[in-house]
Amino acid sequence: MSLPFATRSGATADDPALETELATALALARASASAMLQLSPLAHREITAALSQEIGALEAQNDPTSQGAAQALKQYLSEAA
């Protein structure tokens, strides 16, 4: 397995490999969260609570990237409910 994009020397933000790596990480995260939410009512409650705390932490950072991430998580939670 190769090194993650972010750890490679000479990596730039406009490299298409970064977009591919980010899309892959996001797909894996969504699939993992979806599978865990379906495990049991207790798992669903705990994951929802953890995501809600993460939303609060992102909103407290008060920068555009964090605010966008918080909104995306809120949307994900409403769809997963």
Side-chain angles (χ1 to χ4, degrees), residues 2 11 13 16 19 23 26 28 30-32 34-35 39 42 45 50 53 56 59-60 70 73 76-78:
S2 65
E19 287 188 38
L26 290 173
L28 288 169
R30 280 192 305 268
S32 297
S34 178
L39 286 175
L42 176 60
R45 186 183 77 217
Q53 287 179 339
E59 289 176 332
L73 283 176
Y76 180 79
L77 277 180
S78 67

Side-chain angles (χ1 to χ4, degrees), residues 48-61 66 69-70 73:
T48 301
L51 287 172
S52 294
Q53 287 179 339
E54 187 62 28
I55 289 167
L58 287 166
E59 289 176 332
Q61 292 179 30
S66 298
L73 283 176

Side-chain angles (χ1 to χ4, degrees), residues 5 10-16 18:
F5 180 83
T12 61
D14 59 348
D15 191 322
L18 177 61

